[in-house]
Amino acid sequence: MIERLAVIGVGLIGGSLARALRRRGLVGEIVGCGRSEANLARAVELDVIDRYETDPGTAVRGADCVVIAVTLGATGEILARIASAIEATAVVTDVGSAKRCVVDAAASALGSNYRRFVAGHPIAGTEQSGVDASFPELFEGHRVILTPVAETDHTAIESVTCMWEGVDALVTTMDVDHHDEVLAATSHLPHMLAYTLVDCLAAHGDCGEIFEYAAGGFRDFTRIASSSPEMWCDIAIANRSALLAIAARFEAAFRDLQAALADGDEQKMVDRFRRAKQARDAFQAKASQ
Amino acid sequence: MIERLAVIGVGLIGGSLARALRRRGLVGEIVGCGRSEANLARAVELDVIDRYETDPGTAVRGADCVVIAVTLGATGEILARIASAIEATAVVTDVGSAKRCVVDAAASALGSNYRRFVAGHPIAGTEQSGVDASFPELFEGHRVILTPVAETDHTAIESVTCMWEGVDALVTTMDVDHHDEVLAATSHLPHMLAYTLVDCLAAHGDCGEIFEYAAGGFRDFTRIASSSPEMWCDIAIANRSALLAIAARFEAAFRDLQAALADGDEQKMVDRFRRAKQARDAFQAKASQ
């Protein structure tokens, strides 16, 4: 049970977590904080939060749990602004899609409170944003990856685990840099590829016709290009080094495939497609177990 | 009404067309032909075809409509083998995903029958193959692109249009090379990217874990990598020049994005993501009208 929760950034993720905890009676008071007072007033109106503060330092005072749910680019500044105001027993966590940058910022900003900072990443979301898009079921059955470090307090890890499990998320822990590599591969790179493909086609020729004749695969492939441009730029910048590494590997493999196609090397092409199909089918079989 | 239909290649596409025409009473006798006698016997057992021949030349004799539904790599040989046996009034069509190679092969193989050859491409399919996977509803509401040339007989175009419209497909016509460019962009390139991404990840590190933490976008993105490796190699080879052209454009755009990310050029990244989102959203809005 959280006595007072401070949610910094009451958007899709922060708002959904507040709604989910409240619905289950897992929280006493919820204090919101954010840059847009209109959004905060709306959050009160929707009963997502009880009240709000516009200063992060004021918002976290008296809170036993602080959830930072702002963009990755703003997380460092928030950590610096709340550092001196955090209660000595409060647990602090975040929800960012990249973790190395957040952990490093927390280490340099939080001082003695760093031990009670547990970096987290709920693998959940929609293409919408803002408190109006939030809903209490968002995390149910979804994974939340926590990336504690050697110094992290075990009680703090337990508290954050307990919070997420309380809203029916599946919590696992992972090494910070490993998290960033895995997410670069499975989420950040696919978004970059989808944006690039759609932009590349849209920039050239009769875009309407291209889309009109699109088959199923293309529709699936490009749906993720409807996500927030600002948010995905923020994520890509925050996870730049892991993303550039996997992007380079992808580019080399794609160049290799183009060379095989140019050479008419069907054996090489079929071998690669088969390996991919096997990996994908194995995943599918496992997922449907 | 087709008196006698010859279907060369009784798989997912050929079998589904035969079933659909038969169900609607739009065909008299259906003669199948293919390399696998076991598959042909199965097609008779399933009542997809009435009888079969193993020689394409024999199969097309007496048929007023011939549908070639074999792989693109085998289409040229089939055209050569049926050329002298086609009835003087028979209409011939195909279902291949690339059209320039088929049209050129027909021009050189069919002689005076070339005028009654109408190249076609139904934009429909599943990840399955073989006659057991065929079903009569496959084409309903799906587009079929015909790519007739200047010499093509108008009555032949009408017959093929009528056949596809009879099974509730939406028929449009397109220039041969334009078809190949549009399909390279919307279907063939996305398949190459999905195969490359999955293979690239599978070839490196703990693949199971990569898939385990995969979010929605990645699942959508990689589903198409479950398609038949042999069929997609066949398509890529058949549409090689259009596919290599769009692949090179994609690669250049992707390199450019990587450079922007490496430079931390957020404005450039957001601009590209926004253009892509606008194009995708516009398509979505149009599609749901």
Side-chain angles (χ1 to χ4, degrees):
Chain A
M1 177 76 185
I2 298 164
E3 297 297 326
R4 187 190 290 173
L5 174 71
V7 180
I8 318 294
V10 190
L12 172 67
I13 303 292
S16 293
L17 178 59
R19 284 184 198 255
L21 288 169
R22 191 195 285 287
R23 173 186 277 192
R24 286 170 177 82
L26 298 172
V27 63
E29 189 185 24
I30 306 179
V31 181
C33 181
R35 281 174 308 184
S36 158
E37 214 166 325
N39 184 68
L40 292 169
R42 178 74 181 140
V44 171
E45 191 182 316
L46 292 168
D47 201 30
V48 171
I49 57 176
D50 295 299
R51 59 183 180 86
Y52 67 83
E53 300 287 346
T54 51
D55 174 62
T58 313
V60 304
R61 222 158 265 149
D64 50 333
C65 181
V66 176
V67 175
I68 301 170
V70 300
T71 61
L72 284 159
T75 300
E77 189 201 326
I78 295 293
L79 285 163
R81 288 177 66 184
I82 65 173
S84 62
I86 298 168
E87 301 297 331
T89 55
V91 168
V92 184
T93 187
D94 81 308
V95 302
S97 298
K99 300 269 61 95
R100 169 51 60 200
C101 58
V102 172
V103 170
D104 287 352
S108 73
L110 295 183
S112 62
N113 290 320
Y114 179 54
R115 296 186 62 243
R116 281 170 288 101
F117 177 78
V118 184
H121 177 201
I123 316 278
T126 71
E127 275 122 41
Q128 313 285 295
S129 53
V131 71
D132 277 297
S134 68
F135 58 98
E137 301 85 2
L138 180 60
F139 308 106
E140 292 175 12
H142 283 259
R143 287 189 178 274
V144 172
I145 304 175
L146 303 183
T147 61
V149 293
E151 302 93 308
T152 313
D153 188 293
H154 282 271
T155 317
I157 300 173
E158 270 168 42
S159 297
V160 175
T161 300
C162 191
M163 177 184 78
W164 285 113
E165 287 182 349
V167 300
D168 293 329
L170 310 166
V171 179
T172 46
T173 60
M174 211 184 264
D175 168 76
V176 179
D177 295 313
H178 189 59
H179 166 279
D180 285 3
E181 283 166 22
V182 169
L183 270 289
T186 57
S187 172
H188 309 170
L189 174 62
H191 276 82
M192 299 303 114
L193 296 177
Y195 276 127
T196 301
L197 177 66
V198 175
D199 183 39
C200 175
L201 300 185
H204 192 268
D206 182 351
C207 179
E209 192 188 32
I210 291 264
F211 284 116
E212 195 176 338
Y213 293 97
F218 182 69
R219 295 192 189 206
D220 291 349
F221 196 91
T222 59
R223 189 184 55 80
I224 55 180
S226 283
S227 309
S228 159
E230 295 75 15
M231 188 181 86
W232 279 98
C233 176
D234 178 62
I235 293 171
I237 292 284
N239 199 21
R240 173 154 48 176
S241 81
L243 180 50
L244 284 174
I246 183 74
R249 232 163 69 208
F250 175 87
E251 197 196 310
F254 187 57
R255 254 205 313 272
D256 211 41
L257 176 63
Q258 289 174 81
L261 177 56
D263 296 344
D265 188 343
E266 300 187 32
Q267 194 54 55
K268 193 172 185 181
M269 293 171 67
V270 169
D271 284 349
R272 283 158 169 267
F273 296 172
R274 275 196 196 133
R275 274 203 315 242
K277 179 174 165 57
Q278 275 162 13
R280 167 71 200 185
D281 289 351
F283 157 60
Q284 199 56 48
K286 199 177 163 192
S288 56
Q289 260 168 18
Chain B
M1 177 76 186
I2 299 165
E3 297 297 327
R4 187 191 288 172
L5 173 72
V7 180
I8 318 293
V10 190
L12 172 67
I13 303 293
S16 294
L17 178 59
R19 284 183 198 255
L21 289 168
R22 191 195 285 286
R23 174 187 274 190
R24 287 169 176 82
L26 297 172
V27 63
E29 189 185 23
I30 305 178
V31 181
C33 182
R35 281 174 309 182
S36 157
E37 216 168 322
N39 185 67
L40 292 169
R42 177 75 182 140
V44 170
E45 192 183 316
L46 292 168
D47 202 30
V48 171
I49 57 176
D50 295 300
R51 60 183 179 86
Y52 66 82
E53 298 288 345
T54 51
D55 174 63
T58 313
V60 303
R61 222 158 264 148
D64 49 333
C65 181
V66 176
V67 175
I68 301 171
V70 301
T71 61
L72 284 159
T75 300
E77 189 201 327
I78 295 293
L79 285 163
R81 288 177 68 183
I82 66 172
S84 62
I86 298 168
E87 301 296 331
T89 54
V91 168
V92 183
T93 187
D94 80 309
V95 301
S97 299
K99 300 271 59 96
R100 169 51 61 201
C101 59
V102 172
V103 169
D104 287 352
S108 74
L110 295 183
S112 61
N113 290 319
Y114 178 54
R115 296 186 61 243
R116 281 169 288 103
F117 177 78
V118 184
H121 177 202
I123 315 279
T126 70
E127 276 121 40
Q128 312 285 294
S129 55
V131 72
D132 278 297
S134 68
F135 58 99
E137 301 84 4
L138 179 59
F139 309 106
E140 292 175 11
H142 283 259
R143 289 189 178 274
V144 172
I145 304 174
L146 303 183
T147 61
V149 294
E151 302 94 306
T152 313
D153 187 294
H154 284 271
T155 316
I157 300 173
E158 270 167 42
S159 296
V160 175
T161 300
C162 190
M163 176 184 78
W164 285 113
E165 288 182 349
V167 300
D168 293 329
L170 310 165
V171 180
T172 46
T173 60
M174 211 184 263
D175 168 76
V176 179
D177 295 313
H178 189 59
H179 167 279
D180 285 3
E181 283 166 21
V182 169
L183 270 289
T186 57
S187 172
H188 309 169
L189 175 61
H191 276 82
M192 299 303 114
L193 296 177
Y195 276 126
T196 301
L197 177 66
V198 175
D199 183 39
C200 175
L201 300 184
H204 192 266
D206 182 351
C207 179
E209 193 187 30
I210 291 263
F211 284 117
E212 197 177 336
Y213 294 97
F218 181 70
R219 295 190 190 210
D220 292 349
F221 196 91
T222 59
R223 188 184 55 81
I224 55 179
S226 282
S227 308
S228 160
E230 295 75 15
M231 188 181 87
W232 279 98
C233 176
D234 178 62
I235 292 172
I237 292 284
N239 199 21
R240 173 155 48 177
S241 81
L243 180 50
L244 284 174
I246 183 76
R249 232 164 66 208
F250 175 87
E251 197 197 310
F254 187 58
R255 254 205 314 271
D256 212 40
L257 176 63
Q258 289 173 81
L261 177 56
D263 297 343
D265 188 343
E266 299 188 33
Q267 194 54 55
K268 192 171 185 183
M269 292 171 68
V270 169
D271 283 349
R272 284 160 169 265
F273 295 172
R274 274 196 196 133
R275 273 203 317 241
K277 179 174 164 59
Q278 275 163 14
R280 167 70 200 185
D281 289 350
F283 157 61
Q284 200 55 49
K286 198 178 164 191
S288 56
Q289 261 169 20

